Amino acid sequence: MSSDLLRLIGEMPTPTVLVAGDMILDRYVSGQVDRLSPEAPIQVLRHEQTIENPGGMAAVARNLARLGARVRLCGVVGQDADGEALRAALEREEIETGAVVAEAGRATTVKTRYVAAGHHARQQILRVDRETVAPPAPPTQDRLLAGLRSLLGDTDILVLSDYGKGVLHAAFCRELIQVARAQGVPVIVDPKGQDFSKYAGAAAITPNRAEAALASGLPVTRYEEAQAAAARLLDRLDLQTVFVTLDRDGIFVLERNGDAAAIHTDPREVFDVTGAGDNVLAVLAYALGGGMSALHAAMLANIAGGIAVERFGAVTIGWEEIEARVAGGPGAESKLVPADSLARILRGLRGAGKRIVFTNGCFDVLHPGHVDLLARARGFGDLLVVGINDDESVRRLKGEHRPVNPLAARAAVLGGLAAVDYVVAFPEDTPAGIIERVRPDVLVKGEDWRDKGVVGREFVESCGGRVELVPLLAGHSTSGILARMKDRGSST
Amino acid sequence: MAAKARLPHWADLVARFKGRKVAVLGDMAVDCYVETRPDRLSREAPVMVLRYERRRYAAGCAANTVFNLRALGAQAVPVGILGKDEAGDALVEMFRAEGIPLRGIVRMGSTIVKVRVVSGDVSRPKQQVLRVDVEPEGGYGAAALASLRGRAVGLRGHEAVIVSDYGYGAATPEYAALLRATNPDARLSVDSRDRLLDYKEADLLTPNEAEAAALLRRRVESDAEAELAAREMRRRAGAKAVLLTRGNRGMVLFDGKAHALPIAGPSEIVDPTGAGDTVVAVATLARIAGADHLAAARLANFAAGVTVMKTGAACVTPAELLEAAARG
């Protein structure tokens, strides 16, 4: 399953996504709290940093941009400094804001979170919301609709992200869905409120537990209940797919053809649920826009949501992190990862300061010499990537009767070793190509390579890495084992 | 009989405040009030969510002293640094609206802003919920301070110099000395958070109890401790008088002799913010209008009683001051 998912991620084309709905500016004011006010019995926050991020549907857009999608926005801000700040924050993320309308007399919606970030853990101490809850004026709506129409032509998916601030009021929401449908663009909706009728005709909706219960009038505590609620929504609203997000319980997916699946979450520590829903929606939209099935999209979105709740604040998550979870997750049947995925995963890990060690070989019949070499190799850094020749290249190198074990079996055995983090196959006779993709900090070979040229040495050293040669355990070799087996076979 | 006899005396004194030229050297700040009403608890964290209603800028720190002088009819000249930002623009606009000259103001870097998040609604009286202090990173910077020095040297014709030193660095003993050198007849009043005793030969020092305790490194709480503290500070700084403010315990003046001044007005105060700025403004004006230290201190005490009943850093008008003086 995991290798299928990784392959699908690798093959997915980059979608163009249009996001419409309620835009919010998320402002984080943080600093030290080290004294009380002399004027009132309250804390004094000594300001250190103000960070302004896109929030609301703009946070979904930011997540989509971080995933690599081409993202355009259709929404409303005020003609004020906060609106300018929001636009600037979006442009920093390379999100297109051409269809964002600045409306006179409207205040940009801002959520300011005051955060104590001292010697203790970061902690929110207060939130102040400035909201405009009102539908845009008719001329603004006309401009929004015109902007949307002009962009739909080359859009793969339209995301409607409703935060109940008025942009997606019933009549306008219906119109947007109709216009998109007429152009054959699927619509995915993150709904709000009790009455979902305005979302009728969308391709998919993503209510959470409470929203699904409220809109369907059915309880949603267990999976079976989620299914009944999803079925009712699917029927009533003429949808293709319903994704019910169930916080700790993962995601429940129901499709028009009756296919249903409960996707469970790995129980991990939850630090902060801020924005996790936006991460889930972004991955769903990207994957559906990229042509993935609803089931696969939900599996990936579930992983993204799981990563998000482990971080503080509204975070963005890239494919490399999702792929790393897919490759290393409890559902992974082996540590064998496609080279493309691996390159992305390692880029993320390198960015986080991890030292990457690489070694390679055929690893056809594993023996104590291999285990010792891999353990030593792992000791040179934070994670070990093992390159293995694919079956064809082993045959070319070792002869017609090799490999004894096919690639999947060799990868599975290697993956069973604690020292090994990722296994990657390469089809060439030498590892030169895969080494350039892995870009290891340390390239490890056995000491028998001392007088031979180590392939990849120049590349690794030119990147600031180094080569380590480790002593080999005496008396162990695959050819020796195979010879003994042959002897015994012929003597019986 | 005695009370009635006093009235014309205060009125005459306050009437003489008009047009007095006073330079205020110090840390100009902007008080930003974020007014909200309580809404609900957050779903993200165990914190309140407040609903924003409006934002209001007001003068803070030394700038509050400037507006207190202005409200009493004096011609106040601020000498300090404001940032090139929205808050700095807002304060400059307030100065302009009051006809306060800007020749002592340097615009550079970012402004000191004290944000006070205030919340309340029809059934819940407004109260402060959080204060956020936004201060220029690494202080004002050498360029701004050099520019300020140039401004200080060029200012002439003042009858008094008030130092309003909140510890951010715009007010220093050196700059105060420069201002006095070009204004040789000016009386010096000093309000300084951390280094009151470094300003020598002032006409008046106006510390509060917490500042006195920190400077003298001992407790300043009882009447005897307060009197002793005022006496020692006067001696060590070579000042003519020390007016020690003591919250709802009133004030102590030491001008060679100790005088206790009980609080004027009710003891349940609304907001002490900026009361010290009012005290130094009123006492200084009274001094240059001809009052002795005791009369100046009494008038300042009346003014403090008015300002603490107002929300935020507030000013006192001549009428309010005379009304308070009449109540005694």
Side-chain angles (χ1 to χ4, degrees):
Chain A
M1 193 75 235
S2 69
S3 50
D4 280 356
L5 261 183
L6 290 174
R7 182 178 52 74
L8 288 169
I9 295 170
E11 290 170 355
M12 183 164 44
T14 302
T16 298
V17 186
L18 180 56
V19 187
D22 297 304
M23 299 174 67
I24 296 173
L25 179 65
D26 275 332
R27 177 178 289 137
Y28 293 85
V29 176
S30 65
Q32 305 269 345
V33 172
D34 42 24
R35 66 189 186 100
L36 290 179
S37 167
E39 307 153 2
I42 56 167
Q43 299 138 302
V44 177
L45 177 68
R46 191 153 46 79
H47 177 267
E48 287 178 337
Q49 199 179 29
T50 295
I51 292 177
E52 291 173 333
N53 283 332
M57 71 86 147
V60 179
R62 177 173 177 241
N63 282 302
L64 278 160
R66 171 79 169 81
L67 290 166
R70 179 174 180 205
V71 189
R72 292 104 155 243
L73 281 198
C74 181
V76 187
V77 294
Q79 290 180 357
D80 49 19
D82 292 330
E84 289 299 314
L86 179 47
R87 209 184 274 266
L90 288 164
E91 277 159 13
R92 278 200 299 276
E93 312 276 345
E94 293 179 15
I95 294 164
E96 296 169 35
T97 58
V100 172
V101 178
E103 187 179 74
R106 187 184 186 92
T108 302
T109 296
V110 186
K111 292 184 183 179
T112 304
R113 295 175 180 86
Y114 295 94
V115 178
H119 313 293
H120 38 76
R122 285 171 66 85
Q123 186 178 320
Q124 209 185 122
I125 52 180
L126 183 66
R127 196 172 105 193
V128 177
D129 289 359
R130 176 179 203 179
E131 287 191 345
T132 303
V133 181
T140 306
Q141 289 187 30
D142 292 345
R143 285 177 63 193
L144 287 173
L145 205 56
L148 188 101
R149 275 183 209 277
S150 73
L151 295 173
L152 275 175
D154 62 346
T155 291
D156 293 307
I157 188 165
L158 170 64
V159 181
L160 298 185
S161 175
D162 194 350
Y163 277 76
K165 311 293 181 222
V167 170
L168 297 177
H169 68 90
F172 192 59
C173 188
R174 287 198 185 94
E175 194 162 8
L176 292 184
I177 292 172
Q178 263 174 27
V179 169
R181 272 189 91 156
Q183 299 225 27
V185 176
V187 181
I188 181 167
V189 180
D190 186 10
K192 185 88 180 181
Q194 191 162 2
D195 179 12
F196 282 11
S197 64
K198 63 178 179 176
Y199 308 126
I205 60 170
T206 64
N208 63 27
R209 194 194 290 274
E211 289 160 347
L214 210 60
S216 67
L218 298 170
V220 182
T221 43
R222 291 172 296 119
Y223 287 117
E224 305 86 82
E225 292 172 339
Q227 177 149 13
R232 184 174 283 188
L233 293 174
L234 193 104
D235 272 353
R236 274 194 199 159
L237 304 174
D238 183 28
L239 306 164
Q240 297 304 310
T241 315
V242 175
F243 300 94
V244 184
T245 59
L246 297 166
D247 44 84
R248 278 162 207 284
D249 297 326
I251 299 178
F252 185 86
V253 195
L254 179 67
E255 296 184 73
R256 175 136 290 263
N257 64 10
D259 284 356
I263 295 158
H264 299 261
T265 291
D266 316 326
R268 283 202 169 87
E269 194 152 7
V270 175
F271 285 113
D272 186 2
V273 299
T274 312
D278 297 330
N279 292 98
V280 168
L281 180 62
V283 173
L284 283 177
Y286 188 110
L288 294 175
M292 234 183 231
S293 72
L295 179 64
H296 286 141
M299 292 170 78
L300 297 173
N302 193 43
I303 289 169
I307 298 171
V309 297
E310 295 168 21
R311 313 265 172 84
F312 187 89
V315 295
T316 57
I317 292 162
W319 282 113
E320 71 284 357
E321 290 179 88
I322 297 170
E323 287 174 284
R325 278 291 159 93
V326 174
E333 76 231 20
S334 83
K335 293 174 183 169
L336 184 62
V337 180
D340 284 347
S341 302
L342 183 66
R344 283 191 291 268
I345 292 169
L346 295 179
R347 206 181 307 138
L349 293 169
R350 199 177 291 118
K354 301 288 186 202
R355 293 183 57 77
I356 297 158
V357 186
F358 178 87
T359 191
N360 68 283
C362 296
F363 300 100
D364 190 2
V365 176
L366 225 58
H367 56 68
H370 289 133
V371 176
D372 182 66
L373 178 120
L374 294 170
R376 284 169 189 267
R378 176 66 176 74
F380 290 120
D382 300 309
L383 60 108
L384 175 61
V385 179
V386 181
I388 55 175
N389 299 79
D390 73 2
D391 293 345
E392 266 307 305
S393 79
V394 175
R395 202 163 294 136
R396 285 196 301 274
L397 293 170
K398 304 272 182 180
E400 261 315 290
H401 305 292
R402 300 282 298 277
V404 176
N405 292 303
L407 176 66
R410 289 182 285 133
V413 173
L414 274 177
L417 299 177
V420 177
D421 295 283
Y422 295 103
V423 179
V424 62
F426 58 96
E428 301 89 359
D429 291 354
T430 83
I434 192 69
I435 287 171
E436 291 192 14
R437 302 209 62 182
V438 170
R439 268 193 59 198
D441 298 289
V442 186
L443 173 60
V444 178
K445 297 295 284 181
E447 217 164 31
D448 53 333
W449 282 81
R450 184 164 295 284
D451 302 319
K452 305 179 240 177
V454 173
V455 174
R457 175 190 284 275
E458 267 186 28
F459 174 79
V460 169
E461 288 177 350
S462 76
C463 298
R466 66 178 204 274
V467 174
E468 290 281 352
L469 300 179
V470 299
L472 296 175
L473 280 189
H476 298 285
S477 79
T478 299
S479 4
I481 294 170
L482 294 177
R484 284 201 299 282
M485 286 176 71
K486 201 172 170 193
D487 286 351
R488 288 183 198 171
S490 57
S491 64
T492 48
Chain B
M1 176 71 200
K4 268 182 190 165
R6 225 181 286 136
L7 280 178
H9 157 65
W10 292 125
D12 289 350
L13 181 61
V14 172
R16 289 199 298 275
F17 288 0
K18 198 167 168 56
R20 298 278 168 183
K21 220 173 143 189
V22 181
V24 179
L25 169 70
D27 298 302
M28 306 286 157
V30 172
D31 286 347
C32 172
Y33 290 87
V34 176
E35 297 183 3
T36 69
R37 65 193 151 77
D39 187 14
R40 61 188 168 86
L41 283 179
S42 168
R43 282 185 293 266
E44 306 163 350
V47 300
M48 286 186 287
V49 176
L50 306 177
R51 204 145 287 279
Y52 174 99
E53 289 190 319
R54 71 185 67 81
R55 185 179 61 181
R56 191 164 56 77
Y57 284 128
C61 296
N64 184 42
T65 306
V66 171
F67 281 96
N68 268 282
L69 291 166
R70 186 77 198 93
L72 292 166
Q75 194 191 336
V77 180
V79 185
I81 300 164
L82 285 177
K84 281 187 149 172
D85 47 25
E86 196 186 322
D89 290 347
L91 186 53
V92 162
E93 211 32 66
M94 287 186 262
F95 281 147
R96 281 217 178 94
E98 283 294 321
I100 292 165
L102 298 171
R103 56 181 178 273
I105 293 292
V106 173
R107 297 291 304 270
M108 220 179 268
S110 59
T111 306
I112 302 164
V113 182
K114 312 233 158 149
V115 181
R116 293 175 178 86
V117 180
V118 176
S119 201
D121 59 19
V122 286
S123 58
R124 290 169 282 199
K126 278 210 179 331
Q127 70 179 45
Q128 270 194 62
V129 177
L130 180 67
R131 189 169 118 190
V132 183
D133 287 359
V134 186
E135 296 159 5
E137 222 171 293
Y140 291 113
L145 290 172
S147 180
L148 183 66
R149 190 178 201 279
R151 300 293 171 105
V153 172
L155 295 171
R156 288 165 201 284
H158 297 88
E159 295 168 84
V161 172
I162 296 177
V163 168
S164 180
D165 176 3
Y166 277 81
Y168 295 104
T172 66
E174 186 208 343
Y175 291 179
L178 284 173
L179 266 173
R180 285 187 85 192
T182 46
N183 297 271
D185 301 326
R187 290 186 188 277
L188 177 67
S189 299
V190 183
D191 191 3
S192 173
R193 181 174 289 171
D194 306 316
R195 50 177 170 187
L196 189 71
L197 301 180
D198 296 347
Y199 295 90
K200 300 298 182 193
E201 291 168 11
D203 182 62
L204 184 66
L205 307 179
T206 60
N208 63 32
E209 279 184 335
E211 289 160 356
L215 274 174
L216 302 177
R217 296 203 179 89
R218 64 171 190 252
R219 210 173 57 172
V220 181
E221 283 172 16
S222 70
D223 293 353
E225 284 163 356
E227 197 182 307
L228 208 63
R231 181 194 293 263
E232 182 177 338
M233 286 189 283
R234 174 175 179 270
R235 177 177 56 76
R236 284 173 54 183
K240 288 212 181 91
V242 172
L243 180 58
L244 178 65
T245 60
R246 306 180 62 208
N248 66 7
R249 288 192 281 252
M251 301 181 181
V252 165
L253 173 73
F254 195 87
D255 58 356
K257 253 173 59 185
H259 312 269
L261 289 84
I263 54 159
S267 61
E268 277 292 325
I269 64 168
V270 172
D271 188 349
T273 308
D277 305 326
T278 303
V279 166
V280 73
V282 172
T284 303
L285 284 177
R287 284 291 290 152
I288 57 181
D292 63 13
H293 280 111
L294 182 56
R298 289 180 62 199
L299 196 61
N301 193 32
F302 294 139
V306 176
T307 188
V308 294
M309 297 313 292
K310 299 183 181 183
T311 312
C315 292
V316 178
T317 64
E320 288 171 326
L321 184 51
L322 290 176
E323 202 181 303
R327 279 197 306 269

